[in-house]
Amino acid sequence: MSIKHVKDTPLRTLRNTIGPFADTLAALCEGRDDAPVVASGPPKSMSEEDLLYGKTLTQFHSTLVGMIESLFTRADEESKARNRSPRTLKISVRPASDPYHQPARTKQMPLPPTLFRDAARVAILVDMVERHLETFAFRLGVVNVGFTNFVAGPATRVAKGLEAYFGAQGQ
């Protein structure tokens, strides 16, 4: 049975067949869902998306800056509210030709843990994204930039790195 079959069935027949759930099922088949949204926990990711088709390079750059500033604002709020910060940058792009029906090409990159403390964090991330976008051989239609892989704790240096290891060896 398909949604079309349910929509074509009289409501009275649905009620006799499946009982009180008939009204809800009929509404869902019409695209209506009056149930309240229930939060199931903190977000697993956050992203910004924009249609870039027809924008100049200057407009594209300012759009990208705005998207990334918004992401950092939201990530800072998440860090303050739940003491969590993202560890992964996700970039998805679709070509300008029919952008909403083409499959997205996605790349994920680790976020440097110190990025969130850097005064130039927006410029650094814009540069990372723009360098990645230059690798595509098609005109961009839709760009989605997001943070994922949230972990507990503020965005600070997670690993001490080789310099700390070799420094500890000399002590």
Side-chain angles (χ1 to χ4, degrees):
M1 185 170 248
S2 69
I3 290 176
K4 182 175 179 358
H5 289 110
V6 175
K7 287 172 66 174
D8 291 344
T9 304
L11 188 56
R12 179 181 212 141
T13 304
L14 284 175
R15 286 181 183 143
N16 290 338
T17 306
I18 61 173
F21 182 67
D23 294 317
T24 302
L25 181 62
L28 291 173
C29 288
E30 294 290 334
R32 295 187 320 270
D33 183 2
D34 297 328
V37 175
V38 179
S40 62
K44 294 183 174 148
S45 66
M46 56 182 61
S47 66
E48 295 285 328
E49 183 171 274
D50 204 335
L51 182 65
L52 299 176
Y53 182 73
K55 291 188 178 182
T56 65
L57 283 176
T58 305
Q59 291 170 327
F60 165 72
H61 181 78
S62 64
T63 298
L64 191 56
V65 167
M67 290 167 63
I68 291 173
E69 284 174 343
S70 174
L71 272 177
F72 274 119
T73 299
R74 292 168 53 203
D76 289 343
E77 290 169 0
E78 180 67 17
S79 180
K80 287 176 188 165
R82 296 189 181 93
N83 196 30
R84 296 174 345 123
S85 58
R87 296 293 191 258
T88 305
L89 171 68
K90 181 178 177 183
I91 304 169
S92 297
V93 296
R94 292 188 199 101
S97 60
D98 203 14
Y100 291 102
H101 296 96
Q102 295 288 325
R105 296 184 189 179
T106 302
K107 178 169 183 164
Q108 294 189 28
M109 297 177 264
L111 286 169
T114 56
L115 179 67
F116 286 83
R117 296 181 312 206
D118 197 316
R121 65 188 189 171
V122 171
I124 291 168
L125 203 55
V126 167
D127 185 57
M128 283 175 65
V129 172
E130 285 180 339
R131 278 190 279 140
H132 173 68
L133 295 178
E134 288 172 0
T135 65
F136 292 101
F138 55 80
R139 290 182 59 203
L140 298 176
V142 175
V143 173
N144 181 296
V145 179
F147 291 150
T148 64
N149 190 21
F150 281 80
V151 295
T156 58
R157 186 171 266 279
V158 175
K160 295 188 184 214
L162 292 176
E163 65 274 4
Y165 174 77
F166 286 116
Q169 295 295 314
Q171 295 175 353

